[in-house]
Amino acid sequence: MTTQWNDAPGGFHPASAPDFLPRRELARLQLGRLQSVVARAYARVPLFRGRMEERGLSPADVRSLEDLARLPFTVKTDLRDTYPFGLFASPMEEVVRLHASSGTTGKPIVVAYTEADLRVWTSVMVRTFAACGLHRGDVIQNAYGYGLFTGGLGAHYGGEALGATVIPISGGNTERQLMVLQDFRVTAICCTPSYMLHLVERAREAGISFERLQVGVFGAEPWSEEMRRHIEATAGIRAHDIYGLSEIIGPGVGIECQRREGLHLFEDHFFPEIIDPETGDVLPDGAEGELVLTTLSKEAMPMIRYRTRDITALLPEPCACGRTIRRIRRIGRRSDDMLIVRGVNVFPSQIEAALLAVEGTLPHYQLVLTREHGLDEMEVQVEVTPEVFSDTIGAMEGLRRRLEAAIDHVVGIRAKVTLVAPRTLARSEGKAKRVSDRRNIQGGVS
């Protein structure tokens, strides 16, 4: 009889053992790996060595985990400035795979993996799925994009190594996705939360139910607790938040366990710090700031103190699941997602939370920023339920005022809310585009 390990009552998957290391043993492992990766980057990456020498540092100065705070940061522009291979610490004959960003905002970011890196990536994805309660026998529909994007292949190999059946359907082609969901007896799905919303909506229209689907592993874009509740209520599944970024390894840096009270980071491979984004000073556990990650075992492309721009906090309390690896609070915003409207910092996730807290709205919205007479204006277009849209003008007006008040309460500015019919706004088959900022365009022609 095959043992079906999972995180549900009855046992943990053996691959999850590193999640439960005693903290002292974990710290000893982390320090050894940190010293090794710093020495490797110093010897093989000129940019890193130069910055260390500017500070009068060498690998021998890393004697404790606290010494990490003395090392220089790495930022996204470093990857672009050294495009394509300038941060590689392995010769090409040892690099067995490359991934890259789309490059829509400039030079793409290229990341590399040795065979050992891929083994690490697969192992953390196995731990990821096990933490979600998946196991051998599950059927995983992997709707993350394959190709240069890391999401598809990262989830793919992790699911196979877990012993699950993986369907490599990639993103898009919604009708085929729904057919496969129903006919292939899918029990788990991986995709962006905004695409899951789209699938649920189309399934309802087609009269398709998700009878066997139990778990969703959603990531690659910020999403709110309100969005989670909507997905779970409409799809009848348990939704887990997954965290990762290509610069570090791809998906599999962190995951919510069955408790879903923050995301566990696989600290034996990715060492986290929280810093003040303005000063760069390291903040204590519990304080909100920017997440900084150091890869402890990456060979081809070590990242030392990589500034993720993701705003979160390390949760100091132990998790009831028993894991000893620390958790971060769910990431609802990124520092580079921040909009400044009339001098006020606004994050799309704040708007989402305010909208979904008011009954009658759907989780499909868009922010439109314009500038009139030198003053920023923000319009929030949001779809409402068919019942609300067919209601009286007075009822619609009442809802609009409640939404404007909710936004004012959350972000502190008045926005114009426009209620639109269901399926008015464009749907996403990948990452959702929530903001249309037309201020610079208008500024250029006025």
Side-chain angles (χ1 to χ4, degrees), residues 162-175:
L162 181 73
T165 302
V166 179
I167 304 171
I169 195 167
S170 194
N173 200 335
T174 301
E175 302 309 316

Side-chain angles (χ1 to χ4, degrees), residues 114-124 299:
T114 64
E115 289 183 4
D117 293 334
L118 292 181
R119 285 194 294 272
V120 169
W121 194 8
T122 296
S123 72
V124 292
E299 289 183 345

